[in-house]
Structure formats: structure tokens, C-alpha cells
Amino acid sequence: MLNVALPKGRLGEKVYAMFEAAGFECPSIKENNRKLIFENEEKQVRYFWVKPSDVAIYVERGAADIGVAGKDILLEYNPDIYELLDLNLGKCRMAVAAPDDFYDDGNRRLKVATKFTNIAADYYASIGREIDIIKLNGSIEIAPILKLSDVIVDIVETGTTLKENNLSVKNTIVPISARLIANKSSFKFKGTQIEKIVQSIREQVKAND
Ligand code: PRP
């Protein structure tokens, strides 16, 4: 049985469609209920819906053989997994944003609010700027408005949230997209099944490009 951790939500539904097209369908997943685990014994596959930021934990610890996680989570937590494929879905970027009129004169430590403390710390270390990190868990955009921080490091997709809060992107740190990931020992022991899925999904990604 191949265990697949899918990120709950719209991205996960698109990803499931790719697995289905690869020949690993599981019709019960489309039933309208609140179940979280679905399996198709004939195809030897089991899917489960997890919080997107938890997928890498399931895969790293082997509770899932493969899964789909955002590059943001992989960069932030650096899980010990294999990254097999860029799915070209869930595209956005990790960026530094601040009030439209903000200018960093470099005179004092920069206050940075973010959910992604490692990404922010690595980025500012790479440009040699000293910072104080303020870890938040959501609604990051509020921080510079209330002067909790000077800037934020956060995900920008359409840019609407920033715009509606009079913030703008100052620097892009890294582009983000969804990645197919595998547990290292599963990749060894269930390699044939995983490789079959990877090949089909790789072709689908190319065809959608
Ligand atoms: C993310 C991110 C921004 C928003 C960006 O939040 O933190 O707030 O999406 O999208 P946009 O550029 O299209 O406006 P998410 O919805 O993941 O919720 P969060 O507040 O928990 O981070």
C-alpha cells in the first residue's frame, strides 16, 4: 500500500486529479463527507488529507510515503525528505513587504514580523543586515501597520492582501510552488510504484506548461 499525504484544500484537489490521471484513482475520495482517509485496495493506494504545513512531517517520519508540500515549508523546516518534482501549482513568492513609503536607512536593527523565521533569518544573514525577528502565526500584514515591525516576510500570491493594506513588495526572496516529496526509505522500498507516479505526473506538468 502506498500512503499519500495530500494538502487539504483546492491545491490538494488539483493534485489528487493528477494522481487519478496517473492511474491511481480512489473514487471514494469524492464522496461528500468529512472522512480524512481513503483507500483503493485494488490500486494499492491510500490517500489522506492533512493540513498543508503538516505534509512534510508525515512524509519525513514515514507515516506517508509521498506527499505534496509547498517549497516555503521545505525551506523553512528543511525536512529530511527527497524533493522529486516541481508541480508548477500553487505558485507564489516569498517576499519582504512594508508600508508603501517605508525606506530602510540601515541605522538600526530591522524589526521583521513573519511566520517563516528561518527563511527570514537566512535571507537577512545573506545580505548582512541585522534584524529582530517577531514570530507571528497569521495576518502578518497587520504588524507594520501597527508598528509592531518595520517589515514583514510573507507569501505573496496575487498581491491583493498587500495592496488592500497599503503595503508593497520591497524584495522577492524566492519563488514558491508545490513539490512532490518522498520519504527516503519509501523511495528505496516502494520505488517502482513511486517512479510510475512521478513519470506520469512529470508528463502532466509538462503538458500543462
Ligand atoms: C497568505 C499570505 C498572505 C496572503 C497572500 O495567507 O500570508 O496573507 O496569503 O495572498 P495574496 O497575495 O493573493 O493576497 P493565508 O491565506 O495562507 O493565511 P495566513 O494569514 O494564515 O497566512
Side-chain angles (χ1 to χ4, degrees):
M1 190 65 85
L2 189 77
N3 289 300
V4 184
L6 294 176
K8 237 193 283 182
R10 226 158 25 100
L11 171 67
E13 282 163 25
K14 281 191 196 162
V15 170
Y16 168 72
M18 292 178 124
F19 279 82
E20 192 179 57
F24 290 85
E25 72 276 12
C26 182
S28 61
I29 207 169
K30 296 203 167 148
E31 287 164 11
N32 192 14
N33 58 34
R34 314 232 13 187
K35 272 171 68 170
L36 297 170
I37 303 181
F38 302 88
E39 71 180 55
N40 182 345
E41 223 186 297
E42 188 207 330
K43 297 284 169 150
Q44 285 293 291
V45 67
R46 180 190 294 133
Y47 294 98
F48 37 94
W49 296 117
V50 306
K51 195 175 154 104
S53 51
D54 288 342
V55 168
I57 300 172
Y58 283 84
V59 173
E60 181 178 33
R61 291 179 173 266
D65 299 304
I66 57 175
V68 170
K71 184 68 179 173
D72 51 335
I73 300 296
L74 303 180
L75 289 171
E76 179 64 21
Y77 298 104
N78 197 20
D80 190 19
I81 48 88
Y82 289 134
E83 190 181 314
L84 301 178
L85 198 59
D86 183 345
L87 298 181
N88 222 0
L89 294 174
K91 284 167 92 168
C92 51
R93 56 186 164 144
M94 187 65 67
V96 177
D100 297 334
D101 58 3
F102 174 76
Y103 169 72
D104 180 11
D105 59 18
N107 282 343
R108 54 178 182 81
R109 287 165 85 92
L110 190 69
K111 285 189 280 176
V112 181
T114 187
K115 239 196 288 198
F116 301 94
T117 54
N118 293 325
I119 293 176
D122 289 351
Y123 170 70
Y124 282 103
S126 78
I127 59 169
R129 180 74 172 96
E130 285 203 47
I131 60 168
D132 281 331
I133 291 205
I134 300 160
K135 158 94 172 140
L136 295 178
N137 298 298
S139 300
I140 318 294
E141 290 83 359
I142 293 176
I145 299 171
L146 298 179
K147 308 267 187 261
L148 178 66
S149 72
D150 300 308
V151 303
I152 62 173
V153 166
D154 201 12
I155 285 170
V156 180
E157 193 182 348
T158 61
T160 310
T161 313
L162 292 182
K163 204 166 161 212
E164 294 191 354
N165 290 289
N166 304 315
L167 304 173
S168 48
V169 169
K170 302 295 169 187
N171 293 102
T172 292
I173 299 178
V174 64
I176 303 291
S177 57
R179 308 296 161 102
L180 183 63
I181 60 174
N183 172 269
K184 287 189 166 176
S185 89
S186 303
F187 191 72
K188 208 185 285 166
F189 296 111
K190 300 184 183 178
T192 318
Q193 208 180 1
I194 293 175
E195 198 45 55
K196 205 174 145 198
I197 290 172
V198 172
Q199 252 181 34
S200 166
I201 295 185
R202 185 181 288 124
E203 280 161 24
Q204 294 180 52
V205 171
K206 261 195 213 147
N208 292 341
D209 207 7

